[in-house]
Amino acid sequence: MQPDTANQTHTAEFVLVGFAELRETRLFLFSLFLTMYLLTLVENLAIIVLVRFDPRLHRPMYFFLTHLSCLEIGYTSVTVPKMLAGFLGVAGSQRISYAGCLTQLFVFTFLGATECFLLAAMAYDRYVAVCLPLRYAALVSWGACVRLAAACWLGGFLTPVLPVYLMSRLRFCGPNVIDHFFCDASPLLALACSDVSLKETADLLVSLAVLLASSAVIAASYGRIVWTLLRIRAAAERRKAFSTCAAHLTVVSLFYGTLFFMYARTRVASCISFNKVVSVFYAIVTPMLNPLIYSLRNREVNAALGRAFSCRSWKGQ
């Protein structure tokens, strides 16, 4: 992804500052982020293994949950290992090539957009389960689940194509220091020597298209769910129906809250240091919390965990 000869950049690599301003606490931050990263890997791998080997979890909701766990693992692995190496001062850990920077931006955006679409697909699954239970098997068949998941991954992959292409056309001939812990669009645009107005406009439109399209599906699905729940007279049945959506709704609130704040804006980041804190939240904290939210608020996942760790389970009884 190198620019053409007419727009040849003089910057062969970038330097990721990371959290250099917190040098005194780098060992504490390294330990904290390493712990969070390892927890993210273990929790999400546990979800994948549970769903794969427990027949009682072979249902559409958990099929989508395994895809979400795969996304969370990739999402954090794109940025966190290099950031951790930077805390330790590993040689070359803060440097990233021009092509590597654009690749990191592409993959991170691709996985983030895929998660938006996947959360929308999961909202649709919950809508059918609560509002159209008699048609659930027909509307959310395994074939439909596979097609929905494939559409989410494809839509996510196509999302960064234009923004990253436009980024590759910009000239970077001045400072090469990125005040961030990964190659995000806003700090990169701040270093460009050429006009970034087209790139900013494209970023805004693509981000809003992904966020608004996916959040519209989620809002419509939960609007219908709420309407259906209000018509259920028995409080126990209402609570049971809502409990099937509570974990997903919590994950959606965390994920979309930070994304709308970060990307649905018209200007290059106004306060990069604050943006780094928010980026840590949606790139590290949220992927760690999501499996906990699903396991703590989901009786079936809790039961599957209990079976996995019981003596009878290990004996194959």
Side-chain angles (χ1 to χ4, degrees):
M1 281 192 271
Q2 294 287 346
D4 58 19
T5 346
N7 275 338
Q8 186 64 41
T9 180
H10 297 291
T11 301
E13 65 177 13
F14 295 99
V15 177
L16 296 168
V17 171
F19 294 91
E21 67 274 18
L22 303 175
R23 198 174 301 276
E24 297 79 8
T25 58
R26 67 182 185 278
L27 291 180
F28 168 74
L29 290 176
F30 170 79
S31 304
L32 176 64
F33 290 140
L34 176 61
T35 302
M36 294 169 70
Y37 179 57
L38 292 177
L39 280 174
T40 300
L41 295 182
V42 170
E43 291 166 359
N44 283 288
L45 283 172
I47 292 289
I48 294 170
V49 171
L50 275 178
V51 175
R52 171 66 181 82
F53 291 103
D54 194 319
R56 303 180 197 187
L57 299 183
H58 290 178
R59 288 161 42 197
M61 180 172 71
Y62 300 107
F63 169 80
F64 290 124
L65 185 56
T66 58
H67 281 263
L68 182 63
S69 292
C70 290
L71 279 172
E72 305 288 26
I73 291 172
Y75 206 56
T76 53
S77 298
V78 170
T79 58
V80 176
K82 192 166 185 65
M83 179 183 69
L84 292 174
F87 280 125
L88 293 180
V90 177
S93 60
Q94 290 184 302
R95 298 186 175 273
I96 185 168
S97 67
Y98 175 84
C101 190
L102 292 187
T103 301
Q104 187 185 56
L105 175 62
F106 184 96
V107 174
F108 189 80
T109 309
F110 155 46
L111 295 176
T114 303
E115 185 157 347
C116 288
F117 295 133
L118 188 63
L119 289 173
M122 294 173 78
Y124 170 74
D125 169 71
R126 293 299 82 208
Y127 154 70
V128 178
V130 174
C131 303
L132 304 169
L134 298 180
R135 300 180 58 193
Y136 184 79
L139 294 176
V140 194
S141 63
W142 282 112
C145 288
V146 171
R147 288 192 293 272
L148 271 174
C152 292
W153 285 95
L154 178 60
F157 181 81
L158 295 177
T159 296
V161 170
L162 177 61
V164 173
Y165 169 75
L166 291 176
M167 184 72 81
S168 72
R169 306 287 294 179
L170 298 178
R171 290 189 305 114
F172 297 92
C173 54
N176 68 337
V177 177
I178 299 176
D179 191 10
H180 215 308
F181 61 89
F182 70 98
C183 289
D184 202 4
S186 294
L188 267 176
L189 289 178
L191 301 180
C193 301
S194 48
D195 181 23
V196 299
S197 55
L198 178 61
K199 172 70 172 82
E200 283 188 290
T201 304
D203 280 354
L204 176 66
L205 293 178
V206 170
S207 299
L208 285 178
V210 171
L211 290 172
L212 293 179
S214 55
S215 59
V217 173
I218 293 171
S221 298
Y222 276 102
R224 294 297 300 272
I225 288 172
V226 169
W227 176 250
T228 301
L229 293 181
L230 290 176
R231 296 167 62 187
I232 298 177
R233 294 184 179 180
E237 290 183 21
R238 192 184 304 121
R239 281 195 299 271
K240 183 180 177 181
F242 180 75
S243 68
T244 66
C245 310
H248 178 259
L249 195 54
T250 305
V251 169
V252 166
S253 302
L254 287 171
F255 186 76
Y256 277 85
T258 50
L259 281 189
F260 268 114
F261 177 82
M262 283 296 296
Y263 291 113
R265 296 175 301 164
T266 57
R267 302 185 62 82
V268 175
S270 55
C271 179
I272 294 179
S273 295
F274 187 59
N275 288 339
K276 280 193 284 187
V277 175
V278 179
S279 297
V280 164
F281 191 84
Y282 73 76
I284 305 174
V285 177
T286 301
M288 179 193 68
L289 292 179
N290 286 350
L292 291 176
I293 293 169
Y294 272 104
S295 59
L296 291 175
R297 300 189 66 100
N298 191 299
R299 291 180 182 178
E300 291 177 322
V301 174
N302 280 326
L305 279 169
R307 289 191 294 271
F309 286 102
S310 66
C311 296
R312 293 183 63 187
S313 175
W314 288 111
K315 292 176 181 177
Q317 296 180 7

